[in-house]
């Protein structure tokens, strides 16, 4: 659902940019409370993983494909504030390096794909886990529903933005019906990917899933007919994250570098609706169209498989470097060794 330049007029694009910048600023502050020494390195990996999976367009209808938006997945894994930052990093890398999503429309894309999906998904997820039993199965189910709803919610926000500042005169009712209809189908794919990923991580390391905090109950042993607490296991803070980080990075590289070659070549939901409804009549050339990685291929590499694979690997690497750098800085701004949720105390001179 990457909105290109020219779909939305300049004043509304600028206003969306201001709102998005404000939300990112709030998220930078909020992420300090979500990130700790274990989860900060994982946040960059989450951004890179979402970048990789977004390259895997899947068919949803005749001549139409969809791809992961990722807001629900990011929010559940690393928290809503950090989730907004993850999607923002992905969108920035895609726009600058791969000419995917307009640069003047970056604010629209962050507002639509990042903020909307993250806020809607996390609010619904928290509501569901508040009434469901706190089990792995219920949390996986809640992540499925949250991701499913977040995608048509994003389509609704795009329709609202287009209604306010669209550059073509198309009946808004037609745009709304087409956008929501196709993105409900895309939402099913989003929900499956999100639920599978969240379920897999919870099964291995529930302590690293922001939305699953408090899920693991103390281990009990039956001694002489009575239940007693088992000997304390290794403290969570001391458990290494290297294994899951290495596994996640390998998966992201394989998805972007190899599996992406088999992704659907059909236009995604927004592209299809734009072509069918005439929204794309005033699309502008991307400012980064001459990038050596434009359109997810490496310039001057003739073999399509190698070109796309290299571009995907480069994209994963760039995203994890930039994302990890951002989250490292955010983490450093916290008071050293302060537990998550502890307000930061300012030093006075």
């Amino acid at each position: 659902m990457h909105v290109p330049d020219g779909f939305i007029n300049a004043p509304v694009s600028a206003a969306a940019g201001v709102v998005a910048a404000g939300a990112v600023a709030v998220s930078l502050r909020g992420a300090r409370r979500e990130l700790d020494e274990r989860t900060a390195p994982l946040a960059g990996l989450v951004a890179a993983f979402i970048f990789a999976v977004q390259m895997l367009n899947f068919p949803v209808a005749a001549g139409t494909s969809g791809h992961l938006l990722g807001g629900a997945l990011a929010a559940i894994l690393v928290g809503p504030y950090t989730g907004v930052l993850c999607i923002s990093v992905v969108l920035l890398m895609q726009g600058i390096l791969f000419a995917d999503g307009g640069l003047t429309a970056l604010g629209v894309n962050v507002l639509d794909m990042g903020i909307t999906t993250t806020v809607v998904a996390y609010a619904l997820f928290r509501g569901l886990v508040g009434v469901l039993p706190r089990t792995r199965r219920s949390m996986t189910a809640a992540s499925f529903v949250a991701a499913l709803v977040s995608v048509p919610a994003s389509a609704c926000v795009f329709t609202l933005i287009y209604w306010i500042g669209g550059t073509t005169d198309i009946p808004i009712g037609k745009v709304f019906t087409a956008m929501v209809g196709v993105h409900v189908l895309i939402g099913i794919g989003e929900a499956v990917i999100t639920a599978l990923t969240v379920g897999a991580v919870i099964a291995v390391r529930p302590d690293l899933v922001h939305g699953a905090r408090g899920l693991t109950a103390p281990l009990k042993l039956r001694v002489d007919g009575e239940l007693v607490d088992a000997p304390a296991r290794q403290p969570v803070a001391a458990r290494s994250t290297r294994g899951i980080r290495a596994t996640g990075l390998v998966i992201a590289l394989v998805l972007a570098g190899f599996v992406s070659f088999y992704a659907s070549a059909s236009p995604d939901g927004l592209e299809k609706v734009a072509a069918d409804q005439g929204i794309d009549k005033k699309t502008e050339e991307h400012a980064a169209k001459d990038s050596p990685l434009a359109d997810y291929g490496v310039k001057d590499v003739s073999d399509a498989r190698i070109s796309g694979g290299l571009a995907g690997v480069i994209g994963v690497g760039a995203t994890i470097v930039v994302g990890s750098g951002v989250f490292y800085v955010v983490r450093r701004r916290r008071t050293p060794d302060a537990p998550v949720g502890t307000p930061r105390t300012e030093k006075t001179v």
Side-chain angles (χ1 to χ4, degrees):
M1 196 191 290
H2 295 77
V3 180
D5 295 325
F7 276 26
I8 308 299
N9 63 34
V12 174
S13 293
V18 171
V19 173
V24 168
V26 171
S27 297
L28 285 168
R29 192 173 187 84
R32 299 177 194 170
R33 300 190 297 271
E34 294 175 343
L35 297 171
D36 57 29
E37 67 278 359
R38 295 175 302 118
T39 58
L42 292 175
L45 177 60
V46 168
F49 180 80
I50 289 172
F51 172 91
V53 180
Q54 283 195 2
M55 295 183 65
L56 309 181
N57 281 47
F58 48 84
V60 295
T64 310
S65 70
H67 63 73
L68 182 81
L69 299 187
L73 179 60
I76 295 167
L77 289 180
V78 293
Y81 294 109
T82 309
V84 169
L85 299 180
C86 284
I87 305 300
S88 299
V89 168
V90 172
L91 292 170
L92 183 63
M93 293 296 97
Q94 290 170 333
I96 293 175
L97 298 179
F98 299 94
D100 188 11
L103 294 184
T104 62
L106 181 60
V108 174
N109 284 317
V110 170
L111 178 59
D112 188 30
M113 295 177 62
I115 299 166
T116 299
T117 57
T118 301
V119 171
V120 170
Y122 195 73
L124 183 54
F125 175 82
R126 295 305 304 175
L128 289 172
V129 298
V131 298
L132 294 173
R134 290 188 65 81
T135 65
R136 294 175 181 176
R137 185 172 297 179
S138 65
M139 290 199 172
T140 302
S143 68
F144 181 95
V145 176
L148 174 62
V149 174
S150 71
V151 178
S154 180
C156 290
V157 170
F158 169 79
T159 304
L160 176 62
I161 295 173
Y162 179 80
W163 179 55
I164 297 172
T167 55
T168 54
D169 187 17
I170 307 296
I172 196 63
K174 291 184 177 180
V175 176
F176 175 80
T177 302
M179 284 292 294
V180 173
V182 72
H183 283 90
V184 166
L185 299 177
I186 295 173
I188 297 173
E190 177 103 10
V192 170
I193 295 170
T194 300
L196 288 175
T197 305
V198 170
V201 179
I202 287 179
V204 178
R205 290 293 301 270
D207 58 295
L208 297 180
V209 178
H210 184 275
R213 286 179 177 170
L215 175 62
T216 306
L219 182 64
K220 298 284 187 178
L221 295 177
R222 187 174 295 276
V223 179
D224 296 330
E226 296 184 1
L227 289 177
V228 298
D229 291 335
R233 294 184 296 176
Q234 182 183 20
V236 168
R239 297 174 64 187
S240 174
T241 62
R242 290 182 181 178
I244 195 168
R245 285 159 56 191
T247 301
L249 179 58
V250 169
I251 292 173
L253 290 172
V254 170
L255 292 177
F258 177 72
V259 180
S260 61
F261 181 77
Y262 301 97
S264 173
S266 299
D268 69 17
L270 176 58
E271 291 173 329
K272 179 65 173 175
V273 171
D276 290 347
Q277 302 296 329
I279 296 175
D280 59 356
K281 291 179 180 178
K282 296 186 178 180
T283 304
E284 299 173 1
E285 267 193 333
H286 200 287
K289 64 182 178 61
D290 295 324
S291 166
L293 298 173
D295 298 323
Y296 296 93
V298 177
K299 188 177 181 181
D300 297 330
V301 176
S302 57
D303 186 288
R305 187 190 300 269
I306 296 176
S307 178
L310 284 174
V313 169
I314 293 170
V316 168
T319 303
I320 199 169
V321 168
V322 173
S324 297
V326 170
F327 299 123
Y328 174 79
V329 172
V330 172
R331 168 61 185 158
R332 291 283 293 177
R333 295 293 300 275
R334 282 173 48 84
T335 301
D337 301 323
V340 176
T342 302
R344 177 173 175 266
T345 55
E346 303 289 346
K347 294 181 178 180
T348 57
V349 179

